[in-house]
Amino acid sequence: MTNRDQQILDGLFRDLVDVYTPSECSLIALNGFMQALRGLRSSADRIEKDVSDLIQAVIDSQPRLYPLDNLLADLRDEIEKEECFKLEPLEKVVSSICELTEAQIDHLKASTNLLLEKGVAYIEDGDRIIVHSTHGVVLRILPMAKQLGREFEVLVLRQDKLKTRQIVKAMEEAGLPYTVCPEYDLTYCIQQANKFFIGAQAITSDNKAVCDAGTASIVGAAHLAELPTLLFASTLKLTPRDSSDQNIHVKSEIVEQNGTSYRQLTHSHDIVDLDLIDHLVTEQGEISPDQFPGLRRREL
Amino acid sequence: MHDALIPILVFLGVYVAITFELVNKAVAALTGVAILMLLHLVSEHEAVELVDFETITLLTGMMIIVSALRISGLFTLVSVRIAEFTGGSPVKILVLFSIVTAVMSAFLDNVTTVLIIIPIIIELTKGLGLDPKKFVISQALISNIGGAATLIGDPPNIIIGSKVGLSFNQFLSNLILPVVLVFVFALGYLWISNRNVFRPIHGNLTKLFAVQLLLQKIRFQMENTHMDRKLLWQGLVCLGLAIALFMTQTITGFAPGMVALSMAMFLLFVSGIDIEKVLEEVEWPTLMFFSGLFILVGVLEERGVIEWVANNVFMQIGDDPYVVTMVVLWVGGIASGFLDNIPFTITMIPIVQLIMENNPIPNNILWWALALGACLGGNMTMIGSSANIVAIGLAHRHGAHVSFLDFMKVGSVITLGSLVIASLYLAAVLRFSL
């Protein structure tokens, strides 16, 4: 694994994270891992190093990706436990690793479905819910609640044009009533709402959530306005690493605008203090920060 | 000839402005026409009569069909499917994209083809950590080669076909063999000279994994492209009908320009597509450029300049058909490498007509020599064809800088090889024709 290969993977992950939810990215990566393994022409003595290097490269990616990191760490342990690399011929090694990867995919799907079931209970008739990112769980909970006959409205806070388009598309497909508010109308938007739903990339050991860029300011404003913020994240997103070790990417670019140019720094994700979150909903139900140590996943 | 000095100076001025890109091509050509009109060297009515409307209607019709197909999302769909099909293998990227580029260039214009192919090939190669330069250059070259195969593939062919009255089938049956040979040669050269770039990736798990992520990213872009399936099918049916009518021109008697424009109007009528949206995509500057050039060359022809050049330059080479054919091919090839091949072809047509009057070489061989020279010669430098300029511009916009020398190193070898293949082919055809 060269630095160049790591940079290529990091760049691809950043592009995917921009448009897919963390769970979707994890599914894409796990399926891609199986496809790559099936297409590999390697030798018995090389495959162990190839697989270990790739898993480590994904775990070290910038940004870190949850639940993928946790699932891959589990997969690495399972491969070791099952002694996959001792199998012969090479096809058996590949098929056994793919089977274990499938199991991780099933685990992820089951965990997500459970989280949806728990999450839908937090939507009630008459709710006016603010949504600003394309977080998969959030976007799937809303149509589920609609199917269950709940009457509520969604306030789409417009930050990133592409993400707003995706949210609007999801709302229209689900037949949900929605209103789009630009971010500079945040204070008015908050006054009209009674809940704010967010998702997270990771929940870190120092009780922070790694969220989509632009989340922290809205959470802060909601907290000041005493608007309840609900964070939906499966326990697969709990990490023993702290928020400073999340490989958040900083993009530096020169922006040119009507003859003026300036350097702009953009962070790929926001760090949100869990103290500002009113309800942290997982597939195990709502949990409080003091329950984290027991749930915290082991060292990667 | 005595009153030709000003038209000659105007024509040379326009040529210099076009070659060195001093102003937009259309502006250059129409400024030349405006000067001639202001000096009463040509009237408005005479100018209109000099425009070859067969060429203009053919180009307009095809541009409308292509723009409707682009709006339908067809080209995004095609490029994503090819990307998936390559599986990230560098050799497959080269070969599959080259085949698609060549076929598309044969039936659509080359600029449209590179506009479709280059962004996806840059995305694919950059995403895999490959240098996109070689791939960009290869597709620009292949688009010029593929375009040489048909009447509608490249502007020089459209002009020759319309002005001389050669049919779609005549172009296809006479040019397909040399074009296929040149295509194989170009691919072979590109592969041999860049073997390290085209190494297989199936032994590298990280690269195989990166390909999967990349394909997913590309698929997402496609999912977010507006697809109008009804328009897509309507556009394809109209394009198919147009090609079928081009091929049956000898039976139906319908000129290609009329066919293209009729099919375009039929498509607009049945699809109900927003006409303004379609017309925005039509390359009006190109149509203006063509019209202006027709007028400028027409004036030179009326003033006897073309006849003088034909008699004093081309007639001096003797009447050996092999020599005459090779001169037209190689002069066309080399000139098109450094000059825009559209004005060159428009200028050469009356010259070749005069040569043929004095030395009737059979089977339209001189026209095939001119077509092959003008189309294949455009590969010599990055300014040799519009497709090259557009491809390099797109590459630059996507962060891949291709220099004049980068292009010429590959382009000159492929052009020389192509012209040698074309020479052998034309010599063989001449041998059987005489």
Side-chain angles (χ1 to χ4, degrees):
Chain A
M1 170 71 63
T2 61
N3 275 347
R4 179 85 186 110
D5 287 341
Q6 182 77 55
Q7 283 170 3
I8 291 169
L9 285 185
D10 288 353
L12 287 167
F13 275 127
R14 275 198 295 277
D15 289 340
L16 289 176
V17 165
D18 276 348
V19 290
Y20 287 109
T21 66
S23 297
E24 285 171 337
C25 283
S26 303
L27 271 177
I28 290 166
L30 290 172
N31 280 316
F33 176 70
M34 286 194 293
Q35 295 263 20
L37 211 50
R38 286 181 184 131
L40 182 69
R41 302 282 172 274
S42 185
S43 54
D45 54 327
R46 265 192 50 202
I47 191 163
E48 184 171 359
K49 188 174 182 319
D50 286 344
V51 170
S52 307
D53 282 357
L54 178 57
I55 290 178
Q56 195 55 48
V58 177
I59 289 175
D60 290 340
S61 67
Q62 191 179 26
R64 293 198 191 285
L65 275 174
Y66 296 94
L68 182 61
D69 283 16
N70 286 327
L71 291 166
L72 281 178
D74 287 351
L75 175 66
R76 190 167 53 188
D77 292 350
E78 287 291 318
I79 292 171
E80 210 171 293
K81 203 172 99 190
E82 299 292 325
E83 298 186 323
C84 296
F85 295 117
K86 289 187 178 158
L87 294 169
E88 279 182 35
L90 197 65
E91 290 73 33
K92 271 198 169 176
V93 178
V94 169
S95 64
S96 65
I97 296 175
C98 286
E99 268 176 39
L100 295 174
T101 312
E102 295 270 16
Q104 295 299 327
I105 290 175
D106 292 343
H107 180 189
L108 172 64
K109 285 180 178 167
S111 157
T112 308
N113 288 338
L114 215 52
L115 176 59
L116 290 173
E117 280 174 31
K118 301 279 181 193
V120 81
Y122 287 82
I123 300 178
E124 294 157 337
D125 284 341
D127 276 350
R128 287 170 70 82
I129 302 163
I130 297 181
V131 171
H132 81 110
S133 77
T134 50
H135 203 278
V137 171
V138 173
L139 289 191
R140 285 168 70 188
I141 286 174
L142 299 169
M144 264 180 86
K146 167 84 180 166
Q147 280 173 5
L148 292 172
R150 314 258 161 88
E151 294 295 329
F152 60 99
E153 193 188 337
V154 179
L155 299 170
V156 181
L157 195 63
R158 194 187 75 207
Q159 286 185 314
D160 177 276
K161 267 186 191 170
L162 183 66
K163 285 183 178 170
T164 302
R165 183 177 173 270
Q166 281 177 269
I167 301 171
V168 166
K169 217 171 138 190
M171 297 300 106
E172 286 187 344
E173 277 169 13
L176 277 165
Y178 69 92
T179 309
V180 178
C181 320
E183 193 185 12
Y184 51 76
D185 260 5
L186 179 62
T187 48
Y188 299 103
C189 188
I190 284 176
Q191 281 169 17
Q192 295 168 42
N194 68 334
K195 280 171 191 165
F196 174 35
F197 280 12
I198 58 171
Q201 289 277 119
I203 310 287
T204 61
S205 61
D206 52 348
N207 287 353
K208 307 263 195 275
V210 181
C211 300
D212 282 358
T215 307
S217 56
I218 313 170
V219 170
H223 184 70
L224 286 174
E226 296 182 348
L227 173 71
T229 301
L230 288 88
L231 169 59
F232 299 92
S234 78
T235 53
L236 278 171
K237 290 187 176 175
L238 293 168
T239 166
R241 298 180 202 266
D242 69 23
S243 57
S244 62
D245 186 21
Q246 293 302 317
N247 282 359
I248 289 176
H249 181 66
V250 186
K251 186 175 163 191
S252 170
E253 60 186 334
I254 302 290
V255 178
E256 287 190 27
Q257 206 172 19
N258 299 334
T260 313
S261 69
Y262 50 86
R263 180 173 293 282
Q264 179 175 281
L265 293 180
T266 321
H267 289 76
S268 63
H269 291 86
D270 261 356
I271 302 290
V272 176
D273 201 317
L274 287 184
D275 288 344
L276 303 177
I277 305 294
D278 300 276
H279 305 277
L280 173 53
V281 184
T282 73
E283 77 279 17
Q284 297 177 14
E286 189 172 337
I287 57 170
S288 60
D290 55 322
Q291 290 176 274
F292 284 2
L295 293 165
R296 188 83 64 211
R297 299 184 64 80
R298 83 279 180 275
E299 289 294 329
L300 292 173
Chain B
M1 270 293 284
H2 60 281
D3 55 351
L5 185 63
I6 294 172
I8 291 171
L9 289 176
V10 169
F11 182 76
L12 290 177
V14 170
Y15 232 111
V16 169
I18 294 168
T19 306
F20 295 102
E21 292 179 30
L22 302 178
V23 284
N24 174 285
K25 286 184 200 178
V27 174
L30 291 179
T31 304
V33 173
I35 292 170
L36 295 182
M37 283 181 179
L38 282 170
L39 297 174
H40 299 291
L41 292 167
V42 64
S43 73
E44 296 89 330
H45 294 292
E46 285 165 347
V48 169
E49 279 174 18
L50 291 173
V51 175
D52 181 36
F53 279 97
E54 170 58 22
T55 305
I56 301 295
T57 47
L58 178 54
L59 279 168
T60 312
M62 292 308 288
M63 282 176 186
I64 290 174
I65 296 173
V66 168
S67 91
L69 283 172
R70 195 203 303 263
I71 292 168
S72 77
L74 170 74
F75 301 136
T76 312
L77 185 74
V78 169
S79 47
V80 172
R81 289 285 174 261
I82 313 162
E84 284 178 331
F85 210 61
T86 64
S89 154
V91 179
K92 281 189 185 169
I93 293 175
L94 174 74
V95 176
L96 287 176
F97 273 96
S98 296
I99 291 171
V100 173
T101 300
V103 173
M104 277 173 83
S105 304
F107 295 101
L108 309 174
D109 76 281
N110 297 353
V111 171
T112 304
T113 305
V114 296
L115 278 171
I116 295 160
I117 297 293
I118 298 293
I120 191 97
I121 213 161
I122 292 176
E123 174 115 36
L124 206 53
T125 49
K126 271 180 99 175
L128 291 170
L130 298 167
D131 181 3
K133 262 196 302 196
K134 311 245 185 249
F135 292 88
V136 169
I137 295 173
S138 69
Q139 296 314 299
L141 298 173
I142 296 292
S143 78
N144 291 323
I145 294 170
T150 67
L151 168 76
I152 53 171
D154 214 354
N157 287 6
I158 295 178
I159 299 162
I160 295 168
S162 304
K163 291 277 256 183
V164 183
L166 296 169
S167 71
F168 186 89
N169 285 356
Q170 281 176 298
F171 266 90
L172 195 65
S173 57
N174 284 283
L175 297 184
I176 190 76
L177 181 61
V179 166
V180 169
L181 293 174
V182 168
F183 175 78
V184 172
F185 159 74
L187 266 191
Y189 175 75
L190 287 165
W191 182 70
I192 288 169
S193 59
N194 299 289
R195 263 170 299 181
N196 58 332
V197 177
F198 299 120
R199 271 190 310 232
I201 59 161
H202 54 61
N204 187 329
L205 184 62
T206 308
K207 281 213 158 59
L208 288 169
F209 177 67
V211 167
Q212 296 303 321
L213 299 186
L214 185 62
L215 290 178
Q216 192 57 42
K217 181 183 155 190
I218 293 171
R219 274 183 216 118
F220 175 85
Q221 287 165 353
M222 188 187 81
E223 283 160 14
N224 276 277
T225 303
H226 174 68
M227 293 289 298
D228 186 338
R229 290 188 185 276
K230 198 173 151 204
L231 179 63
L232 188 151
W233 283 111
Q234 287 167 334
L236 280 178
V237 167
C238 286
L239 180 64
L241 276 173
I243 293 170
L245 286 168
F246 291 150
M247 292 176 123
T248 51
Q249 187 191 345
T250 44
I251 304 164
T252 61
F254 296 148
M258 196 195 80
V259 168
L261 197 63
S262 308
M263 280 302 124
M265 291 306 117
F266 180 65
L267 177 60
L268 292 180
F269 185 74
V270 293
S271 65
I273 187 174
D274 182 357
I275 180 79
E276 289 193 13
K277 209 169 155 189
V278 176
L279 293 184
E280 266 174 27
E281 302 251 338
V282 171
E283 293 164 48
W284 297 109
T286 305
L287 298 175
M288 298 290 182
F289 171 55
F290 271 74
S291 305
L293 279 175
F294 280 130
I295 298 167
L296 292 175
V297 176
V299 172
L300 289 184
E301 211 177 336
E302 282 186 348
R303 309 267 155 167
V305 179
I306 300 293
E307 196 178 348
W308 186 89
V309 172
N311 287 329
N312 292 282
V313 181
F314 284 89
M315 301 299 183
Q316 302 303 315
I317 56 176
D319 55 4
D320 182 336
Y322 288 96
V323 176
V324 174
T325 306
M326 293 308 138
V327 166
V328 171
L329 172 74
W330 283 83
V331 166
I334 292 165
S336 296
F338 298 95
L339 304 172
D340 193 313
N341 58 9
I342 296 167
F344 175 78
T345 308
I346 294 176
T347 316
M348 279 299 285
I349 285 173
I351 294 175
V352 172
Q353 273 167 338
L354 285 168
I355 296 173
M356 287 183 77
E357 278 173 19
N358 292 305
N359 188 4
I361 295 172
N363 293 337
N364 298 308
I365 288 171
L366 278 192
W367 295 121
W368 309 136
L370 180 61
L372 287 170
C375 295
L376 300 176
N379 273 340
M380 193 174 289
T381 66
M382 62 191 269
I383 55 163
S385 81
S386 310
N388 298 354
I389 296 167
V390 171
I392 304 307
L394 276 173
H396 189 70
R397 210 185 303 158
H398 286 82
H401 181 69
V402 181
S403 70
F404 192 89
L405 273 180
D406 285 335
F407 194 98
M408 202 169 165
K409 267 186 220 164
V410 186
S412 57
V413 176
I414 288 184
T415 305
L416 290 176
S418 307
L419 291 176
V420 168
I421 291 170
S423 301
L424 293 172
Y425 170 76
L426 292 170
V429 176
L430 259 175
R431 192 177 159 75
F432 287 112
S433 305
L434 292 174

